[in-house]
Amino acid sequence: MGSTDVLRSPKRLRWWAAVLGVALGLAVVGCASDAPELGGIVRPQPLAVGDISLPVAAPEAADSFEFSADEGRLLVVYFGYLSCPDVCPTTMVDLRGALAELGEAADTVDVAFVTVDPERDTPEQLDNYLDHFFDRYVALRPSTVDELRAAEEAFTASSEITVNGAGVVEVAHSATTYVVGPDGTVLVEWAFGTTPELMADDLRLLLGDLADS
Amino acid sequence: MPTFSPPRRAVAGLAAAVLLLASCASDDNGDDEVDVTDGDAAFVVDDAWARSTPAGRGAVYFQITSSDDDAIVGASVDSSIAAVVELHETVAADDGDVDPSMDGDMDGDMDGDTNGDTNGDMASGDDEGHGGGMMEMREVASIPLPAGETVVLEPGGLHVMLLDMPEMLEIGSVFDLTLELETAEPLTITVSVRDA
Ligand SMILES: [Cu+2]
């Protein structure tokens, strides 16, 4: 009984009101994200990747694809491999979710998937894989290790393929997603686990910047 | 004095706010919670799902709580699903023993966090940059299930790995996964296949 009185005292009321206010505030911050700045990682010195190119394996083979977006567009780049059942499809699904959330604006976003396991990932498999996630995509398949390393270096990505004692091929790779602008620089990077909502917000913001400039 | 009781409302409001938070936390968690009593031990398995890739591999995720101390020491599925099943963990390749899924954060990192920097091992912020950090999958001998603790298998962390899959899993279908436990009898759970 005594405790009930305490609970209902004006002081307590103010305390509960404060708790409620904070909780509601958190809830709003947690769901919306109307912050005008990019949610992903932005480097003070943007990575320049526009001079790098790789052969295209799918949907149609081509000699080279340069890492810069077309005018007024954005290019999303991911380094992965097909027999990756955990990290890679998770990011692909998140990215697909982000594009779905963008709606029509997604038409101005291109997706490039670079296989870090070109020996095992055939053009057909790459095509089949990406078709599963995206309407439009390019699959890039380095023809030499040097070519792969040059691309990775430009993005500060990395990968390593080893064969363990049991003869099983193991692939380690960085799982960052990069957004490249028409100027051939990386505008924002998303670490593994970045939500589709955050990706969509960043893409929207960057597309707005492109339209303004 | 009226019997109007603001604190209670405040509590209700707080609860609503918390629910609101929770509701934006996750996209597609089914509420397919399953309670299983297995001899003396009781297990709660929640949200068991899988996806596969065209390359003949897949991963299964779920949350599991055991009433008693136990451990998952193996897993199996029908050979029409996968010829080989292993317990795996995705870890930061350059940071040996990091266990991203077991270090607290049971609600996962897919919630409404608007700060990309907190989302993983990539964002270490050293001059190498976040791209320098690699992730790789490792086989683990067992997945410990401390009594009463919810252990989360989720993308980027612990998973049951399906290898040598004869075909891609059909989205919307279900299959049985049998977990071999250190102490309790084997536990069979139903896994639903999600788009991926
Ligand atoms: Cu695995």
Side-chain angles (χ1 to χ4, degrees), chain A residues 85-86, chain B residues 57-59 86 88-90 137-138 159-162:
Chain A
D86 182 37
Chain B
R57 289 178 156 198
E86 296 176 350
H88 272 212
E89 181 175 29
T90 295
M137 295 187 306
R138 291 212 186 125
H159 53 275
V160 175
M161 174 92 170
L162 308 176

Side-chain angles (χ1 to χ4, degrees), chain B residues 105-117:
Chain B
D105 193 23
M106 283 309 185
D107 51 358
D109 35 29
M110 305 299 173
D111 54 18
D113 179 4
T114 53
N115 181 359
D117 284 350

Side-chain angles (χ1 to χ4, degrees), chain B residues 122-155:
Chain B
M122 303 297 119
S124 48
D126 50 272
D127 55 350
E128 248 316 326
H130 16 271
M134 290 196 283
M135 296 172 108
E136 71 180 342
M137 295 187 306
R138 291 212 186 125
E139 190 174 3
V140 294
S142 74
I143 298 173
L145 303 175
E149 206 174 286
T150 300
V151 174
V152 181
L153 283 73
E154 64 183 349

Side-chain angles (χ1 to χ4, degrees), chain A residues 33-88:
Chain A
S33 59
D34 42 30
E37 58 194 55
L38 292 167
I41 301 147
V42 179
R43 292 174 191 252
Q45 194 68 49
L47 298 169
V49 296
D51 290 341
I52 302 289
S53 67
L54 286 176
V56 181
E60 247 148 76
D63 284 345
S64 79
F65 176 91
E66 283 172 7
F67 287 104
S68 58
D70 290 343
E71 218 44 57
R73 305 175 66 85
L74 294 170
L75 172 67
V76 178
V77 180
Y78 184 78
F79 292 76
Y81 66 105
L82 299 191
S83 47
C84 161
D86 182 37
V87 166
C88 305

Side-chain angles (χ1 to χ4, degrees), chain B residues 58 75-79 81-86 139 161-165:
Chain B
S76 59
V77 296
D78 191 271
S79 59
I81 301 291
V84 179
V85 184
E86 296 176 350
E139 190 174 3
M161 174 92 170
L162 308 176
L163 295 137
D164 293 346
M165 302 174 74

Side-chain angles (χ1 to χ4, degrees), chain A residues 7 13 16 20 23 30-31 33 39 41 43 82-83 85-87 90 96 129 132-133 156 158-159 172-174 189 192 194-195 198, chain B residues 6-7 10 13-14 24 51 53-55 57 61 90 111-112 114 116-117 119 130-135 155-156 159 161 195-196:
Chain A
L7 196 64
L13 278 186
W16 278 111
L20 176 58
C31 289
S33 59
I41 301 147
R43 292 174 191 252
L82 299 191
S83 47
D86 182 37
V87 166
T90 300
R96 176 175 60 188
Y129 182 86
H132 189 78
F133 298 105
T156 70
S158 48
S159 65
H173 68 121
S174 54
E189 291 162 55
F192 173 76
T194 298
T195 63
L198 187 149
Chain B
L14 178 59
C24 65
R51 63 170 154 231
T53 70
R57 289 178 156 198
Y61 309 98
T90 295
D111 54 18
T114 53
D117 284 350
N119 277 326
H130 16 271
M134 290 196 283
M135 296 172 108
H159 53 275
M161 174 92 170
D195 191 6

